[in-house]
Amino acid sequence: MAQKIQGTEDLYGDYMRAWQHMQDTARELFGAYGFDMIETPAIEQIDTFVHGIGESTDVVRKEMFRVVSGALFSTLLEAGSEHGLKPRQRMAMRPEGTAGVVRAVVENNLVPQGSSPAKFWYAEAMFRGERPQKGRLRQFHQIGLEWIGASDAASDSECIIVLLEFFKRLGFDPAQLHVALNSMGDEACRPAYREKVRQFIVDHQDAMCDDCLERAKINPLRSFDCKNEACHAIMQQAPLVTDNLCDACVSHYDQVKAYLHKAGIAFSEDPTLVRGLDYYTRTVFEIDVVGAAVGAIGGGGRYDGLVEVSGGKPTPAVGFAVGFERIMLALASCGHPLEIPQPSCVYVAYTDAPQRQAVFDATLALRRAGIRAEADYQGRSLKSQFKQADKLGASLCVIIGEDELAHNYYTVRDMQTHEQTCVEVDGLVAFVSEHC
Ligand code: AMP
């Protein structure tokens, strides 16, 4: 039997309804903040991600699914390396949303000089070649928001505020949501800080793992995230970014915090919070659920350098992404599982073959009026049609028997009270609209 790839999931039924509900919630909430939806291709040139996310990040080095067309695949195998491929032939499945949105904004010139910001949100599948485990999939779904062209610290704070509101609308108790906040500095102060951390790792190299020694060469800040306990303990003593920010970054960070205080948003500062993608500058944040033990359910930050790296004019930007599957796990573990009931429907039942045409006519009329209607398509007995109606959670059942057909009316049964009403054929849609 064909099987799905490990770390991927089929979305249907309750789970699919929850994913759609999450998108509807995002559409309504983010729409009120002036964000429009965008969808970028699931495959992009590798360079879009390499330049944006960073060559040294785990996402790019280890987790990106690389793609070549079928025709090129055998050439690639024969050549033994991808060096002969042109840049446009080297593709990858998107591991995150920001790099693609920024590419689209630059390519379509959506933030011309002096214009207002581009404000987009997306709901897309992402692909990362991670070792599958609970809450860590190879194909998962993110909802994200990108605010491109906004430099004011108010936009950083509003991103956090709208994100918390989104979680609240999904059913989280705001008291359980923990916001971790940090500033990662910018091009003026981060290079010197990075060098300090590199030197710190070199000074402690005897006690640190090989991965961290490698990180010291390419991206020392990643060592703050090392899972090795010894490294973790040592990194607690490492120089902190917040002690090494330039004046402009300190001032921006102070403003972000002041706006959050003003809005009554609780947060804790975590000077070791470094997000896994290279493009972040200044504000970074992550949200997790106290007691849920599923990891971060969302995170984001400012990425003032990314538009320029992607070939555009220098343009400040800020955004975030949340993971659908993680949110589902977190909600379930808090005792508020996201359960979206099936929409109610009307079932049209009949007693015998001569009434089948009347069933066809009634369901068609109901559906044309936008009412969800179901009927039997397998020649079931009346009894099993009723069972089916119950299973589908029908609120009303239209019954068409010999007498109904002969005298041009329907019997409509309320499935809860079992009360039955005779309704003229022409009056069915009006009756159902009123009672469904
Ligand atoms: P990131 O782009 O890594 O900051 O991830 C943003 C959010 O996406 C995380 O907070 C998680 O909720 C979710 N996420 C990231 N990686 C995975 C994964 N492999 N499987 C499921 N959800 C993920």
Side-chain angles (χ1 to χ4, degrees), residues 59 95-96 128 130 135-138 140-142 275 277 280 286-287 296-300 321-327:
V59 171
E96 58 89 61
R128 292 187 196 172
E130 304 200 69
R136 199 164 282 282
L137 297 161
R138 286 174 166 169
F140 58 100
H141 297 82
Q142 284 188 340
R275 309 239 321 122
L277 317 173
Y280 287 110
E286 245 171 37
I287 315 256
I297 53 171
V322 305
F324 160 67
E325 291 81 359
R326 285 274 179 94
I327 293 174

